[in-house]
Short mmCIF file of all heavy atoms in Angstrom, two decimals:
data_model
loop_
_atom_site.label_atom_id
_atom_site.label_comp_id
_atom_site.label_asym_id
_atom_site.label_seq_id
_atom_site.Cartn_x
_atom_site.Cartn_y
_atom_site.Cartn_z
N VAL A 1 86.16 39.22 56.94
CA VAL A 1 86.70 37.86 57.08
C VAL A 1 87.37 37.70 58.44
O VAL A 1 87.15 36.71 59.15
CB VAL A 1 87.69 37.53 55.94
CG1 VAL A 1 88.46 36.26 56.23
CG2 VAL A 1 86.94 37.42 54.64
N GLU A 2 88.17 38.69 58.82
CA GLU A 2 88.83 38.59 60.11
C GLU A 2 87.82 38.53 61.25
O GLU A 2 87.97 37.74 62.18
CB GLU A 2 89.77 39.78 60.32
CG GLU A 2 91.05 39.67 59.54
CD GLU A 2 92.04 40.75 59.90
OE1 GLU A 2 91.68 41.76 60.54
OE2 GLU A 2 93.21 40.58 59.53
N GLU A 3 86.80 39.39 61.19
CA GLU A 3 85.82 39.43 62.28
C GLU A 3 84.99 38.16 62.34
O GLU A 3 84.65 37.68 63.43
CB GLU A 3 84.93 40.66 62.12
CG GLU A 3 85.68 41.95 62.39
CD GLU A 3 84.92 43.20 62.02
OE1 GLU A 3 83.74 43.11 61.62
OE2 GLU A 3 85.53 44.29 62.11
N ASP A 4 84.67 37.59 61.18
CA ASP A 4 83.86 36.37 61.15
C ASP A 4 84.63 35.12 61.50
O ASP A 4 84.08 34.20 62.10
CB ASP A 4 83.25 36.18 59.76
CG ASP A 4 82.18 37.19 59.42
OD1 ASP A 4 81.72 37.91 60.33
OD2 ASP A 4 81.81 37.27 58.23
N ALA A 5 85.91 35.07 61.09
CA ALA A 5 86.61 33.80 61.19
C ALA A 5 87.96 33.86 61.89
O ALA A 5 88.29 32.96 62.66
CB ALA A 5 86.80 33.23 59.77
N PHE A 6 88.76 34.88 61.64
CA PHE A 6 90.12 34.89 62.16
C PHE A 6 90.18 35.22 63.64
O PHE A 6 90.78 34.49 64.43
CB PHE A 6 90.99 35.87 61.36
CG PHE A 6 92.41 35.95 61.84
CD1 PHE A 6 93.27 34.88 61.65
CD2 PHE A 6 92.88 37.08 62.49
CE1 PHE A 6 94.58 34.95 62.09
CE2 PHE A 6 94.20 37.15 62.92
CZ PHE A 6 95.05 36.08 62.72
N TRP A 7 89.55 36.32 64.05
CA TRP A 7 89.66 36.73 65.45
C TRP A 7 88.99 35.76 66.41
O TRP A 7 89.49 35.55 67.52
CB TRP A 7 89.19 38.18 65.64
CG TRP A 7 90.17 39.10 64.93
CD1 TRP A 7 89.93 39.87 63.82
CD2 TRP A 7 91.55 39.29 65.23
NE1 TRP A 7 91.08 40.51 63.43
CE2 TRP A 7 92.09 40.18 64.29
CE3 TRP A 7 92.40 38.78 66.22
CZ2 TRP A 7 93.42 40.59 64.29
CZ3 TRP A 7 93.73 39.19 66.22
CH2 TRP A 7 94.22 40.08 65.27
N PRO A 8 87.90 35.09 66.03
CA PRO A 8 87.39 34.05 66.93
C PRO A 8 88.41 32.92 67.17
O PRO A 8 88.49 32.39 68.28
CB PRO A 8 86.14 33.53 66.21
CG PRO A 8 85.66 34.72 65.43
CD PRO A 8 86.94 35.39 64.95
N ILE A 9 89.18 32.58 66.14
CA ILE A 9 90.22 31.56 66.32
C ILE A 9 91.29 32.07 67.28
O ILE A 9 91.74 31.36 68.17
CB ILE A 9 90.83 31.15 64.97
CG1 ILE A 9 89.81 30.36 64.16
CG2 ILE A 9 92.11 30.34 65.16
CD1 ILE A 9 90.23 30.09 62.74
N VAL A 10 91.70 33.33 67.09
CA VAL A 10 92.71 33.92 67.97
C VAL A 10 92.23 33.88 69.41
O VAL A 10 92.98 33.54 70.33
CB VAL A 10 93.06 35.36 67.52
CG1 VAL A 10 93.93 36.07 68.55
CG2 VAL A 10 93.75 35.34 66.16
N ARG A 11 90.96 34.25 69.63
CA ARG A 11 90.40 34.26 70.99
C ARG A 11 90.53 32.92 71.69
O ARG A 11 90.84 32.85 72.87
CB ARG A 11 88.92 34.65 70.96
CG ARG A 11 88.67 36.10 70.87
CD ARG A 11 87.17 36.39 71.06
NE ARG A 11 86.89 37.75 70.69
CZ ARG A 11 87.17 38.81 71.44
NH1 ARG A 11 87.73 38.64 72.62
NH2 ARG A 11 86.89 40.02 71.03
N THR A 12 90.26 31.85 70.95
CA THR A 12 90.26 30.53 71.58
C THR A 12 91.62 29.85 71.56
O THR A 12 91.91 29.02 72.42
CB THR A 12 89.23 29.60 70.91
OG1 THR A 12 89.55 29.46 69.53
CG2 THR A 12 87.82 30.15 71.06
N ALA A 13 92.47 30.18 70.60
CA ALA A 13 93.74 29.48 70.45
C ALA A 13 94.85 30.02 71.35
O ALA A 13 95.79 29.30 71.66
CB ALA A 13 94.20 29.54 69.00
N LEU A 14 94.75 31.28 71.76
CA LEU A 14 95.82 31.89 72.53
C LEU A 14 95.33 32.33 73.90
O LEU A 14 94.21 32.81 74.03
CB LEU A 14 96.37 33.13 71.79
CG LEU A 14 96.92 32.90 70.39
CD1 LEU A 14 97.28 34.23 69.74
CD2 LEU A 14 98.13 31.97 70.45
N ASP A 15 96.18 32.18 74.89
CA ASP A 15 95.82 32.63 76.24
C ASP A 15 95.49 34.13 76.26
O ASP A 15 94.59 34.56 76.96
CB ASP A 15 96.95 32.35 77.23
CG ASP A 15 97.13 30.86 77.49
OD1 ASP A 15 96.16 30.10 77.27
OD2 ASP A 15 98.22 30.46 77.91
N CYS A 16 96.23 34.91 75.48
CA CYS A 16 95.99 36.35 75.42
C CYS A 16 95.13 36.72 74.22
O CYS A 16 95.05 37.89 73.82
CB CYS A 16 97.31 37.10 75.37
SG CYS A 16 98.30 36.69 73.91
N GLY A 17 94.47 35.72 73.64
CA GLY A 17 93.70 35.94 72.41
C GLY A 17 92.58 36.96 72.55
O GLY A 17 92.32 37.72 71.61
N GLY A 18 91.93 36.98 73.70
CA GLY A 18 90.86 37.96 73.90
C GLY A 18 91.38 39.38 73.84
O GLY A 18 90.78 40.25 73.19
N ARG A 19 92.51 39.62 74.47
CA ARG A 19 93.11 40.96 74.45
C ARG A 19 93.52 41.35 73.04
O ARG A 19 93.26 42.47 72.58
CB ARG A 19 94.32 41.00 75.38
CG ARG A 19 95.02 42.36 75.42
CD ARG A 19 96.28 42.35 76.28
NE ARG A 19 97.24 41.33 75.92
CZ ARG A 19 98.11 41.44 74.90
NH1 ARG A 19 98.11 42.51 74.15
NH2 ARG A 19 98.97 40.47 74.66
N LEU A 20 94.15 40.42 72.32
CA LEU A 20 94.58 40.70 70.95
C LEU A 20 93.39 40.96 70.04
O LEU A 20 93.40 41.91 69.24
CB LEU A 20 95.42 39.53 70.41
CG LEU A 20 96.75 39.26 71.10
CD1 LEU A 20 97.36 37.96 70.59
CD2 LEU A 20 97.70 40.43 70.92
N ALA A 21 92.36 40.13 70.15
CA ALA A 21 91.18 40.31 69.31
C ALA A 21 90.46 41.62 69.64
O ALA A 21 90.01 42.33 68.73
CB ALA A 21 90.23 39.12 69.47
N ASP A 22 90.37 41.95 70.93
CA ASP A 22 89.72 43.21 71.31
C ASP A 22 90.45 44.41 70.72
O ASP A 22 89.82 45.35 70.23
CB ASP A 22 89.63 43.34 72.83
CG ASP A 22 88.63 42.38 73.45
OD1 ASP A 22 87.81 41.80 72.71
OD2 ASP A 22 88.70 42.20 74.70
N ARG A 23 91.77 44.37 70.75
CA ARG A 23 92.54 45.48 70.17
C ARG A 23 92.29 45.56 68.67
O ARG A 23 92.07 46.64 68.11
CB ARG A 23 94.03 45.31 70.43
CG ARG A 23 94.80 46.40 69.71
CD ARG A 23 96.26 46.34 69.83
NE ARG A 23 96.84 47.24 68.82
CZ ARG A 23 98.11 47.29 68.56
NH1 ARG A 23 98.96 46.56 69.24
NH2 ARG A 23 98.55 48.11 67.62
N ALA A 24 92.32 44.41 68.00
CA ALA A 24 92.11 44.39 66.56
C ALA A 24 90.72 44.91 66.19
O ALA A 24 90.57 45.68 65.23
CB ALA A 24 92.30 42.98 66.02
N LEU A 25 89.72 44.50 66.95
CA LEU A 25 88.36 44.94 66.64
C LEU A 25 88.19 46.44 66.91
O LEU A 25 87.46 47.11 66.18
CB LEU A 25 87.35 44.10 67.42
CG LEU A 25 87.36 42.61 67.03
CD1 LEU A 25 86.42 41.82 67.91
CD2 LEU A 25 87.04 42.43 65.56
N ALA A 26 88.88 46.96 67.91
CA ALA A 26 88.87 48.41 68.13
C ALA A 26 89.54 49.12 66.95
O ALA A 26 89.07 50.17 66.51
CB ALA A 26 89.57 48.75 69.45
N ASP A 27 90.63 48.54 66.44
CA ASP A 27 91.27 49.09 65.24
C ASP A 27 90.28 49.10 64.08
O ASP A 27 90.21 50.07 63.32
CB ASP A 27 92.48 48.24 64.82
CG ASP A 27 93.69 48.41 65.71
OD1 ASP A 27 93.69 49.28 66.60
OD2 ASP A 27 94.66 47.64 65.50
N HIS A 28 89.52 48.03 63.92
CA HIS A 28 88.56 47.95 62.83
C HIS A 28 87.51 49.06 62.93
O HIS A 28 87.14 49.64 61.91
CB HIS A 28 87.87 46.58 62.82
CG HIS A 28 88.73 45.48 62.31
ND1 HIS A 28 88.23 44.25 61.99
CD2 HIS A 28 90.07 45.42 62.07
CE1 HIS A 28 89.21 43.47 61.56
NE2 HIS A 28 90.35 44.15 61.62
N VAL A 29 87.05 49.33 64.14
CA VAL A 29 86.06 50.41 64.32
C VAL A 29 86.66 51.74 63.87
O VAL A 29 86.03 52.50 63.12
CB VAL A 29 85.59 50.47 65.79
CG1 VAL A 29 84.78 51.73 66.06
CG2 VAL A 29 84.78 49.23 66.14
N GLU A 30 87.87 52.03 64.30
CA GLU A 30 88.53 53.27 63.91
C GLU A 30 88.79 53.30 62.41
O GLU A 30 88.59 54.33 61.75
CB GLU A 30 89.83 53.46 64.69
CG GLU A 30 90.63 54.67 64.27
CD GLU A 30 89.93 56.01 64.45
OE1 GLU A 30 88.86 56.09 65.09
OE2 GLU A 30 90.46 57.01 63.95
N ASN A 31 89.22 52.19 61.85
CA ASN A 31 89.49 52.14 60.42
C ASN A 31 88.21 52.35 59.60
O ASN A 31 88.25 53.01 58.55
CB ASN A 31 90.19 50.84 60.05
CG ASN A 31 91.58 50.76 60.62
OD1 ASN A 31 92.15 51.77 61.07
ND2 ASN A 31 92.15 49.57 60.64
N ARG A 32 87.10 51.82 60.07
CA ARG A 32 85.83 52.06 59.37
C ARG A 32 85.45 53.54 59.41
O ARG A 32 84.95 54.09 58.43
CB ARG A 32 84.71 51.20 59.95
CG ARG A 32 84.71 49.78 59.39
CD ARG A 32 83.43 49.03 59.71
NE ARG A 32 83.33 48.65 61.10
CZ ARG A 32 83.88 47.58 61.63
NH1 ARG A 32 84.58 46.77 60.89
NH2 ARG A 32 83.73 47.31 62.91
N ARG A 33 85.73 54.20 60.52
CA ARG A 33 85.47 55.64 60.62
C ARG A 33 86.31 56.39 59.60
O ARG A 33 85.82 57.27 58.89
CB ARG A 33 85.77 56.14 62.03
CG ARG A 33 85.42 57.61 62.24
CD ARG A 33 85.94 58.14 63.57
NE ARG A 33 87.38 58.25 63.62
CZ ARG A 33 88.10 59.20 63.01
NH1 ARG A 33 87.51 60.12 62.29
NH2 ARG A 33 89.42 59.23 63.13
N LEU A 34 87.58 56.02 59.50
CA LEU A 34 88.47 56.66 58.53
C LEU A 34 88.05 56.34 57.10
O LEU A 34 88.15 57.20 56.21
CB LEU A 34 89.92 56.24 58.79
CG LEU A 34 90.51 56.72 60.11
CD1 LEU A 34 91.84 56.02 60.39
CD2 LEU A 34 90.65 58.23 60.13
N MET A 35 87.60 55.13 56.86
CA MET A 35 87.12 54.75 55.53
C MET A 35 85.92 55.61 55.14
O MET A 35 85.82 56.06 53.99
CB MET A 35 86.79 53.25 55.49
CG MET A 35 88.03 52.38 55.58
SD MET A 35 87.69 50.64 55.95
CE MET A 35 86.77 50.14 54.51
N ARG A 36 85.01 55.83 56.08
CA ARG A 36 83.85 56.69 55.80
C ARG A 36 84.29 58.12 55.48
O ARG A 36 83.72 58.77 54.61
CB ARG A 36 82.87 56.69 56.97
CG ARG A 36 81.95 55.48 56.97
CD ARG A 36 80.81 55.62 57.97
NE ARG A 36 81.25 55.86 59.34
CZ ARG A 36 81.68 54.94 60.19
NH1 ARG A 36 81.72 53.67 59.82
NH2 ARG A 36 82.05 55.25 61.41
N ALA A 37 85.32 58.59 56.18
CA ALA A 37 85.83 59.94 55.91
C ALA A 37 86.38 60.04 54.48
O ALA A 37 86.17 61.05 53.80
CB ALA A 37 86.90 60.32 56.94
N VAL A 38 87.05 58.99 54.03
CA VAL A 38 87.54 58.97 52.65
C VAL A 38 86.34 58.97 51.69
O VAL A 38 86.29 59.75 50.74
CB VAL A 38 88.46 57.76 52.39
CG1 VAL A 38 88.78 57.61 50.90
CG2 VAL A 38 89.74 57.87 53.21
N GLU A 39 85.38 58.10 51.95
CA GLU A 39 84.20 57.99 51.09
C GLU A 39 83.42 59.30 51.01
O GLU A 39 82.87 59.65 49.96
CB GLU A 39 83.25 56.90 51.60
CG GLU A 39 83.77 55.50 51.43
CD GLU A 39 82.86 54.48 52.09
OE1 GLU A 39 82.10 54.83 53.02
OE2 GLU A 39 82.91 53.31 51.68
N ASP A 40 83.35 60.01 52.13
CA ASP A 40 82.52 61.21 52.22
C ASP A 40 83.20 62.47 51.71
O ASP A 40 82.57 63.54 51.68
CB ASP A 40 82.06 61.44 53.67
CG ASP A 40 81.11 60.37 54.15
OD1 ASP A 40 80.57 59.61 53.31
OD2 ASP A 40 80.92 60.27 55.38
N SER A 41 84.45 62.38 51.31
CA SER A 41 85.14 63.57 50.83
C SER A 41 85.38 63.46 49.32
O SER A 41 85.37 62.38 48.74
CB SER A 41 86.45 63.76 51.60
OG SER A 41 87.26 62.62 51.51
N GLU A 42 85.60 64.58 48.72
CA GLU A 42 85.78 64.64 47.28
C GLU A 42 87.25 64.38 46.92
O GLU A 42 88.15 65.02 47.47
CB GLU A 42 85.37 66.02 46.77
CG GLU A 42 85.42 66.15 45.27
CD GLU A 42 84.93 67.49 44.79
OE1 GLU A 42 84.12 68.13 45.50
OE2 GLU A 42 85.37 67.91 43.72
N ALA A 43 87.45 63.45 46.00
CA ALA A 43 88.82 63.15 45.56
C ALA A 43 89.49 64.43 45.09
O ALA A 43 88.88 65.25 44.41
CB ALA A 43 88.80 62.12 44.44
#
């Protein structure tokens, strides 16, 4: 939801929106990597 709708609004609504959105999207990439690590390991 954030990638489809929220961060595009941030990009256009704020002067520093591109920087903020880029940081958030980099966080998302790292978080997906960590999510895969959880999925791939045994509880």
Side-chain angles (χ1 to χ4, degrees):
V1 168
E2 284 188 345
E3 290 170 5
D4 290 347
F6 180 69
W7 293 113
I9 290 171
V10 170
R11 278 189 192 283
T12 60
L14 301 174
D15 291 338
C16 61
R19 180 184 55 80
L20 295 172
D22 289 346
R23 175 183 166 188
L25 297 176
D27 286 353
H28 285 193
V29 169
E30 176 61 10
N31 292 345
R32 277 193 288 277
R33 184 189 69 75
L34 294 169
M35 290 165 64
R36 279 191 304 280
V38 170
E39 290 173 337
D40 293 345
S41 56
E42 185 177 334

